[in-house]
Amino acid sequence: MLFRSSFSILFYLLAGLSVAIAAMAIFANRRTQRESNARKAYLDYTLRGVERPDLAFPARLQFDFQEQTANGKRELFEQYEWNLSATLITVDFMLEHANTKAHEHWRAIAVRQLAYHWKYIQHVRREKPSLALREKRMKALFDEAIALGRDRFP
């Protein structure tokens, strides 16, 4: 009887340990998957930048925010806005899906990417609905990116 009781206790302990190990493996897999998704989103973003460097790094574009033109063209301005919208979605996704250990790394990358667009963000951040919605959640990120952009990309 003692053997049967000891065996039952051992069985339940091993079952509990197995459940704990399985739960840890699931959480570790989720963390890895989130980081992988953030990396993939950033890679896709950088490939878009290779295709259209003028939109990814707009320092060479001449903006007229009143007329909503870039280099005198309304269509180029609209393309730029769509590109920036995709950038903001990517930044949002990266920061949401990066694991906590890498979050500051991804945040620094996000600030740098947004710094390229500081002039546009500064001028329209509260006027354009797409930016105004993000302003609530990304105000500190926008402020930091504008400061960095002013300093590095005048």
Side-chain angles (χ1 to χ4, degrees):
M1 187 74 163
L2 182 61
F3 175 73
R4 186 180 266 171
S5 176
S6 297
F7 182 72
S8 294
I9 291 171
L10 182 61
F11 174 78
Y12 288 118
L13 285 174
L14 288 175
L17 182 62
S18 297
V19 168
I21 290 171
M24 288 172 34
I26 289 170
F27 288 121
N29 186 38
R30 282 186 184 165
R31 242 187 344 264
T32 301
Q33 187 64 39
R34 289 170 62 100
E35 185 71 18
S36 177
N37 288 342
R39 287 176 190 270
K40 173 77 168 101
Y42 185 66
L43 176 62
D44 291 346
Y45 165 77
T46 57
L47 292 175
R48 271 197 335 269
V50 169
E51 293 170 3
R52 287 298 305 264
D54 58 330
L55 301 179
F57 184 74
R60 295 182 189 98
L61 294 178
Q62 295 297 316
F63 288 105
D64 182 334
F65 295 107
Q66 295 293 95
E67 296 294 320
Q68 295 194 354
T69 62
N71 292 351
K73 299 175 186 168
R74 193 165 184 74
E75 183 178 343
L76 182 58
F77 188 84
E78 290 173 9
Q79 289 172 341
Y80 173 76
E81 286 187 308
W82 281 109
N83 184 74
L84 183 58
S85 180
T87 299
L88 291 169
I89 290 167
T90 301
V91 163
D92 220 7
F93 184 83
M94 283 171 19
L95 294 177
E96 184 179 316
H97 289 82
N99 69 44
T100 53
K101 290 180 183 175
H103 190 269
E104 285 307 310
H105 167 75
W106 286 112
R107 189 179 189 289
I109 289 173
V111 167
R112 177 64 180 228
Q113 295 305 316
L114 293 178
Y116 298 147
H117 306 279
W118 76 272
K119 290 177 185 175
Y120 179 88
I121 293 170
Q122 177 180 287
H123 282 90
V124 303
R125 70 193 280 186
R126 292 179 184 95
E127 296 171 17
K128 295 280 183 170
S130 59
L131 285 178
L133 289 172
R134 286 186 168 82
E135 171 75 16
K136 294 175 185 173
R137 286 192 350 229
M138 300 177 115
K139 182 182 183 325
L141 202 65
F142 285 171
D143 291 342
E144 196 174 332
I146 289 169
L148 178 65
R150 268 194 206 126
D151 183 49
R152 297 226 178 132
F153 314 112

